[in-house]
Amino acid sequence: MKEFQTKKKYGQNFLTDKNLLSAICSDADICKDDEVLEIGAGLGALTEILSNNAKKVVSFEIDKDLVEPLKAINLSNVEFIFDDILKWNNDEIEKKFVGDYKIVANLPYYITTPIIFKFLGKSKRIKSMTIMVQKEVALRMVAKKGDSDYGILSASIACLGEATTTRNVGRKMFSPPPKVDSAVVKIDINKPFELQEIDKQFEFIRKIFAMRRKTILNNLSMGYKINRQELQSVFNIDELSKRAEDFSTEEIINMYYRFSALMKK
Ligand code: SAM
């Protein structure tokens, strides 16, 4: 087969190092009972390792030029879907699995955040997300109160579970090498959450961090068109005069529930 010409527009930076691919699979804690959703099969290097370690793999790939090389690998427990995953309804994706499933992906960088938010908090059946992202995004994913990267992404992820950087991956490990270094982040979805609340919770987080230098009072009154008196019925003056970055994610979630009770009145 002639050498495959990678396409920048699809974020095609492929991995070939077998040790690294196996390490990603073990970071994701994949075992024989697992069903796995892979996003972006590429030439199938990660897919093959996942296939050897899991019960079933469903792997999306947008690039139709990869149909032939991927079909040629012949993996009996892998279903390839040659389409844009962002166009698929999550319920349709879930029908491919019998039980709970884990997401594993060397993500196309141009759509990292839309993919994270397509799945984050959207289903109780997703047990974890182990994803290769740009190092700068990894820092934002795992940041805690007090870190300069702490913000919307870290706080949103923390509503669902724990994010950990499992390894840093230099740009030279990819073919072709991207302009930046990467890291693998695992999100363990291990906190109780309510599906009906999560989008409103994310919206609250976006609003309180909207203008980072402004106080909670400013951001909430601007974001929700609500006045100080109403806010004071659920928040104390100290809370209202601080910034979102001064609160841990647990405190933010607690604030969200008080705010939501106010909005339901
Ligand atoms: N998993 C392979 C590897 O590790 O070598 C490829 C990873 S590469 C960074 C990302 C892959 O995602 C590319 O093959 C690209 O064509 C595919 N992709 C990009 N956008 C996609 C989308 N919206 N839906 C499905 N696949 C997509």
Side-chain angles (χ1 to χ4, degrees):
M1 193 195 312
K2 66 176 175 18
E3 206 178 306
F4 182 78
Q5 289 295 317
T6 53
K7 300 181 186 76
K8 234 184 176 160
K9 67 169 178 176
Y10 290 143
Q12 290 178 345
N13 303 100
F14 297 153
L15 292 172
T16 50
D17 187 291
K18 289 251 183 310
N19 290 330
L20 174 59
L21 290 157
S22 295
I24 296 171
C25 184
S26 81
D27 290 348
D29 208 12
I30 300 302
C31 61
K32 277 288 170 206
D33 293 333
D34 284 331
E35 297 186 89
V36 178
L37 171 64
E38 187 193 14
I39 302 154
L43 283 165
L46 183 57
T47 323
E48 194 166 356
I49 307 260
L50 293 169
S51 154
N52 292 337
N53 287 279
K55 181 162 80 182
K56 178 183 177 168
V57 181
V58 174
S59 184
F60 277 78
E61 176 51 61
I62 196 171
D63 187 355
K64 305 278 190 293
D65 289 344
L66 287 163
V67 173
E68 208 186 309
L70 285 173
K71 292 246 160 106
I73 320 176
N74 213 355
L75 302 166
S76 61
N77 61 347
V78 177
E79 179 180 350
F80 287 113
I81 300 174
F82 292 98
D83 207 352
D84 178 349
I85 193 158
L86 292 174
K87 287 196 186 142
W88 276 57
N89 182 299
N90 286 24
D91 292 340
E92 290 304 312
I93 298 174
E94 295 218 322
K95 282 186 191 153
K96 303 281 175 190
F97 300 105
V98 178
D100 294 341
Y101 60 102
K102 295 176 177 173
I103 296 179
V104 185
N106 171 14
L107 283 183
Y109 294 158
Y110 73 109
I111 45 169
T112 301
T113 319
I115 287 190
I116 294 176
F117 281 103
K118 176 171 176 60
F119 294 101
L120 195 68
K122 299 299 185 292
S123 164
K124 295 265 181 190
R125 290 174 61 193
I126 303 171
K127 293 293 135 196
S128 61
M129 291 171 77
T130 305
I131 52 181
M132 175 89 76
V133 298
Q134 293 183 27
K135 205 164 172 190
E136 161 265 316
V137 177
L139 291 171
R140 290 198 278 124
M141 289 173 74
V142 304
K144 301 261 184 309
K145 174 184 150 184
D147 297 339
S148 57
D149 291 299
Y150 182 57
I152 295 172
L153 194 54
S154 6
S156 304
I157 291 172
C159 295
L160 284 309
E162 208 74 53
T164 338
T165 301
T166 57
R167 66 192 58 248
N168 292 313
V169 181
R171 63 195 81 180
K172 292 207 182 103
M173 298 303 286
F174 299 84
S175 172
K179 287 202 176 69
V180 290
D181 292 326
S182 298
V184 177
V185 176
K186 181 176 191 218
I187 308 171
D188 279 302
I189 317 278
N190 54 14
K191 288 192 185 159
F193 67 95
E194 293 166 54
L195 283 170
Q196 329 70 276
E197 291 291 325
I198 209 76
D199 282 334
K200 285 182 260 166
Q201 217 160 318
F202 289 165
E203 186 189 12
F204 179 78
I205 291 169
R206 280 198 304 276
K207 298 239 158 119
I208 61 171
F209 279 101
M211 289 172 290
R212 287 190 79 97
R213 310 312 299 163
K214 299 265 183 197
T215 61
I216 295 282
L217 171 65
N218 287 142
N219 274 321
L220 284 181
S221 48
M222 294 264 290
Y224 289 97
K225 311 275 173 264
I226 186 165
N227 66 38
R228 174 191 271 268
Q229 276 74 25
E230 286 175 285
L231 288 168
Q232 277 181 352
S233 69
V234 287
F235 299 122
N236 62 47
I237 293 172
D238 185 47
E239 287 172 317
L240 289 174
S241 59
K242 286 183 177 167
R243 298 177 184 140
E245 64 193 30
D246 298 323
F247 295 93
S248 70
T249 48
E250 289 73 23
E251 288 166 331
I252 290 176
I253 295 167
N254 176 287
M255 284 164 72
Y256 163 74
Y257 279 105
R258 280 184 279 148
F259 180 74
S260 141
L262 171 68
M263 297 302 267
K264 281 177 191 152
K265 269 188 193 163

